[in-house]
Amino acid sequence: MNNIKIVADSCCDLTAELVAKHDIAVLPLYVALGDTFYRDGVDVTPKDIYDYFDKTQQTPKTSAANAADFADFFRPFAEAGQNIIYIGIGLSLSCTVTNARLAAEEFDNVKIACIDSKNLSTGIGLLVLRAAEMVEEGKSFEEIVSTIETLTDYSRASFILERLEYLHRGGRCSLLTAVGAAMLSIKPEIAVRNGTMANRSKFRGSMVSCAKKYVDSLMANRDQIDPRRAFVTYTVDTDPAIVAAVYDAAAATGHFEEILQSNAGSVITSHCGKNTIGLLFLDKLPE
């Protein structure tokens, strides 16, 4: 048995198939519907998020896993003598990595690295997969940690949103902005850069046409993009025509060796809503 265990949290939005294939352990974060907290991907689903929003016009709250959660999660691997590399949701977005680091102090028989991905969704997932593949290649604990910590500055996550109600209800944009965007058929692109979310650009028109423009804008810098892998990640029940528009536009460039698809989990859905989609990838490291 390899003595390195790769751990992620549920915000990485990797498919169950990828998690199983690469033997990745995933700790659920929390989503609160009213006063009750549920575990992302375990006892709450994105469709529950939609139902809650439709019923209350309020977005759920999301919450980090606490130090006790991490201690319990790390313990079986530590007791088996496995060193642990945890890659988590960005520190500017959640205190989850801080809690993981507190839990790691309880174990002195193994090495535990808790890496701030500076990202979310499959912006984390890309790093997690790279780490898992390095384990499979027999790379050392130190080499994997060093590589992934470097790559955190090169993971590119962004999404376009059809509607801004979820961001508005969650306090992340004003009512004026949300109403104005709807009236003008504006679809904003939210990107994660330097660990924080910001509006990168705006597109006007139908979601399908905007999806194509969005991919074109990203691929304008294709010489900087690592061709190894990209994710098309979208919230559950997103219009298949929108998914096809992003996937086909990315595939048509011929740049990527593989383009994977995944659904955003309950954490991302709580902030974005239906018909949210992104093309996520890693940039190349400098020579």
Side-chain angles (χ1 to χ4, degrees), residues 219-279:
M219 298 307 295
N221 299 315
R222 72 183 65 187
D223 289 345
Q224 300 175 13
I225 298 173
D226 187 334
R228 183 180 309 195
R229 173 181 294 129
F231 270 97
V232 176
T233 301
Y234 48 92
T235 48
V236 169
D237 290 342
T238 289
D239 184 342
I242 300 170
V243 178
V246 172
Y247 184 92
D248 291 347
T253 67
H255 184 77
F256 296 108
E257 295 170 16
E258 68 171 349
I259 303 174
L260 304 173
Q261 296 189 39
S262 73
N263 282 137
S266 300
V267 170
I268 299 300
T269 301
S270 295
H271 299 291
C272 298
K274 196 179 298 185
N275 288 344
T276 295
I277 190 166
L279 179 67

Side-chain angles (χ1 to χ4, degrees), residues 85-188:
I85 300 174
Y86 163 64
I87 305 165
I89 181 173
L91 269 172
S92 65
L93 305 168
S94 171
C95 64
T96 301
V97 172
T98 298
N99 294 339
R101 289 171 177 169
L102 290 172
E105 295 175 2
E106 296 187 23
F107 304 95
D108 55 12
N109 64 312
V110 295
K111 293 180 284 190
I112 302 179
C114 299
I115 299 174
D116 170 15
S117 72
K118 305 176 188 176
N119 226 303
L120 48 69
S121 191
T122 45
I124 307 169
L126 287 157
L127 301 173
V128 173
L129 282 183
R130 183 67 64 89
E133 289 168 344
M134 292 183 74
V135 171
E136 292 159 7
E137 293 164 4
K139 304 297 184 183
S140 71
F141 181 91
E142 289 75 16
E143 184 176 358
I144 297 169
V145 171
S146 176
T147 298
I148 300 304
E149 287 181 337
T150 299
L151 284 173
T152 59
D153 290 325
Y154 295 86
S155 184
R156 304 296 177 229
S158 63
F159 295 87
I160 55 170
L161 289 72
E162 182 178 54
R163 298 156 57 187
L164 294 182
E165 286 95 334
Y166 277 62
L167 286 179
H168 165 58
R169 297 291 181 182
R172 295 179 182 268
C173 80
S174 69
L175 176 61
L176 181 62
T177 299
V179 171
M183 291 179 63
L184 297 173
S185 296
I186 291 173
K187 312 299 187 291

Side-chain angles (χ1 to χ4, degrees), residues 203-206 208-218 249:
F203 305 97
R204 183 173 295 179
S206 70
V208 170
S209 67
C210 288
K212 295 175 182 176
K213 296 172 189 174
Y214 159 70
V215 174
D216 289 344
S217 74
L218 292 175

